[in-house]
Amino acid sequence: PTPGDTSAHNAADAATVTKAEPWLEVGQEASVLVGGKGFDQAGGPLLFNHPKGIASDGTRLALADGNNNRVLLWNQAPTANTPPDIVLGQLDFDGNDPGTGAAEMNWPVAVAFGGGRLLVADTYNHRVLVWHKIPTQSGAPADLIIDGVHSADQNDLSPRKDRFVWPWGVWSDGTRLVITSTAKMTNGGIGFGGWVLIWKTFPTAGNQPADLLLTASGDMGTPRTI
């Protein structure tokens, strides 16, 4: 090109832009987190994120720390701003990743004590986690997983004794067990309207059907606490 002719440079720049790869793509992870503690960071044992259910057996205290995907357990109910002794759903007090394993949770809502057991409504996983004895170590996996939604189920889940969706409530007196199905699952996702399941004796298997099914003649709204 002649001196002062910029056409060649412009053409080269245009070719570079044309060939450039997109700088964003679907599902791409962020490189920097602003306004939080960091990726997979709960902020420690005493920073709660949308705390949900709370329960005590008269000695211990349990708290469902919902958006941190964990349950915090004090061996003695605190009388001051005392950190919990044990965390469940995470390996330590720093992490907050959700998961589907026996030692993981996804948005737990309710906790309950009954007959020496600890129960957690693992809401987004559509299941209830059961420890037959109160855990003594952080990250301990559940002894029993009561599944509400099974792989063979269809999308349109109507009330039935062997399934529940989005459980928000769990209760036991050590013998009986009650779980709320706060919603139902439809082709469009989670829908309104649920039911309540009652076991007259505590189940020994994760797929054991309940003895009673309460639906309010099909007019039950979104049952949450028991």
Side-chain angles (χ1 to χ4, degrees):
T2 59
D5 183 359
T6 60
S7 59
H9 294 288
N10 292 340
D13 291 342
T16 301
V17 171
T18 301
K19 294 178 181 179
E21 294 293 328
W23 68 282
L24 285 177
E25 59 185 33
V26 175
Q28 180 175 330
E29 294 185 354
S31 303
V32 177
L33 177 63
V34 179
K37 290 292 180 181
F39 295 111
D40 185 27
Q41 291 295 309
L46 285 174
L47 186 60
F48 312 144
N49 190 343
H50 288 70
K52 304 293 184 183
I54 191 168
S56 176
D57 63 358
T59 301
R60 303 174 184 85
L61 179 70
L63 169 69
D65 189 11
N67 285 26
N68 277 329
N69 303 301
R70 65 186 186 178
V71 166
L72 303 173
L73 184 64
W74 287 260
N75 291 330
Q76 296 282 337
T79 57
N81 197 31
T82 307
D85 299 289
I86 294 168
V87 59
L88 301 174
Q90 305 293 330
L91 295 176
D92 53 42
F93 290 106
D94 294 321
N96 67 358
D97 266 347
T100 59
E104 299 173 312
M105 301 175 189
N106 192 349
W107 208 63
V109 168
V111 287
F113 292 97
R117 299 183 183 91
L118 175 66
L119 302 91
V120 175
D122 188 14
T123 305
Y124 278 175
N125 281 330
H126 311 297
R127 65 185 189 177
V128 167
L129 305 176
V130 180
W131 286 262
H132 292 310
K133 294 183 179 180
I134 307 302
T136 58
Q137 292 184 339
S138 291
D143 300 307
L144 174 65
I145 298 176
I146 302 174
D147 287 310
V149 176
H150 312 285
S151 58
D153 285 330
Q154 301 299 314
N155 285 334
D156 188 10
L157 297 186
S158 56
R160 210 169 68 186
K161 289 183 178 180
D162 64 344
R163 61 189 182 191
F164 51 89
V165 179
W166 229 34
W168 275 49
V170 61
W171 173 90
S172 177
D173 61 358
T175 300
R176 294 165 292 184
L177 172 67
V178 184
I179 296 174
T180 65
S181 182
T182 300
K184 61 185 177 182
M185 192 173 293
T186 67
N187 289 326
I190 299 293
F192 291 110
W195 53 93
V196 175
L197 300 174
I198 300 176
W199 286 259
K200 294 181 180 180
T201 57
F202 205 94
T204 58
N207 59 353
Q208 183 176 329
D211 299 295
L212 299 175
L213 172 66
L214 309 180
T215 67
S217 300
D219 292 328
M220 188 172 291
T222 54
R224 305 197 178 198
T225 59
I226 302 168

